[in-house]
Amino acid sequence: MIKSVLEYAALGWASCPGARPLHDGPRACSCDRVGCPDQGSHPLSRAWQMQATTDPALLSHWWGVDPEANVVLPTGRVFDVFDVPREAGLAALAAMDSTGCASGPVAENGDRVLFYVATRNVSDDEDEWWSCPLDYGPSTIEEMPGLRWHCRDSYVLAPPSSLPGGGTASWLRPPDGRPLPDPLRVLDRLADVCE
């Protein structure tokens, strides 16, 4: 985990420790919440937005204490993330590849595919921040099976995080330091396959 976390920090992507799923004993999540509703899929701290950092020393300390902690990346800072059902995401990725359209980094998280795009949260004035009706609260995943847009005040589990249903998140197209694609161009492709 720490190797990936430090690679994200080198890209300028802040992260913080996340809960991980437990597959033994009565508890299903590494957090201390009884009956956790987002087992293994959330930050460990309620202050995750302030806690997330690119500081290698702090990141090394956190993952030194809990080397198996999942990796949580806050969205709406450097990047936003489009989160779509796996079948739609793979179809969109194939369509983008066939037309030479840059997809940017793309991860597979179980039955979901995540497209990392440039953030729309670029305003210096908080009152001018552009919000989107597709904004996604991580606890509502079952309620919204289609396209979700993770922007400010949201987060994603990043590879190689452990997933609640088993397996790990993985990169289909890892980040390589190139500029992230325009979200509206990627959204146009995703909207076609998610209808």
Side-chain angles (χ1 to χ4, degrees), residues 25-188:
R27 289 184 25 210
C29 186
S30 67
C31 73
D32 58 1
R33 293 171 61 190
V34 175
C36 175
D38 292 323
Q39 298 170 353
S41 300
H42 60 85
L44 283 173
S45 171
R46 290 181 186 223
W48 64 271
Q49 292 171 313
M50 294 182 295
Q51 184 183 46
T53 185
T54 58
D55 178 4
L58 191 51
L59 295 168
S60 295
H61 169 73
W62 287 336
W63 270 272
V65 171
D66 187 359
E68 295 179 15
N70 273 343
V71 180
V72 170
L73 300 177
T75 55
R77 295 179 182 186
V78 175
F79 55 83
D80 290 350
V81 173
F82 292 120
D83 175 345
V84 297
R86 184 176 187 278
E87 185 176 313
L90 295 178
L93 189 57
M96 294 168 106
D97 288 346
S98 71
T99 60
C101 178
S103 65
V106 180
E108 185 174 21
N109 286 15
D111 62 352
R112 308 292 296 182
V113 173
L114 283 61
F115 290 79
Y116 288 66
V117 297
T119 186
R120 297 282 296 178
N121 185 19
V122 294
S123 177
D124 292 330
D125 181 356
E126 286 289 311
D127 293 331
E128 295 297 320
W129 181 73
W130 176 76
S131 187
C132 168
L134 297 174
D135 285 356
Y136 161 68
S139 65
T140 61
I141 192 164
E142 290 82 17
E143 298 168 18
M144 299 174 60
L147 172 66
R148 294 187 290 271
W149 189 335
H150 298 264
C151 23
R152 188 175 72 171
D153 297 330
S154 188
Y155 57 84
V156 293
L157 287 182
S161 293
S162 299
L163 301 174
T168 59
S170 60
W171 287 109
L172 298 174
R173 303 280 191 285
D176 57 11
R178 286 187 280 183
L180 298 170
D182 182 298
L184 299 181
R185 295 186 77 190
V186 175
L187 178 60
D188 186 47

Side-chain angles (χ1 to χ4, degrees), residues 13-26:
W13 295 10
S15 60
C16 64
R20 66 184 182 285
L22 300 176
H23 303 292
D24 56 342

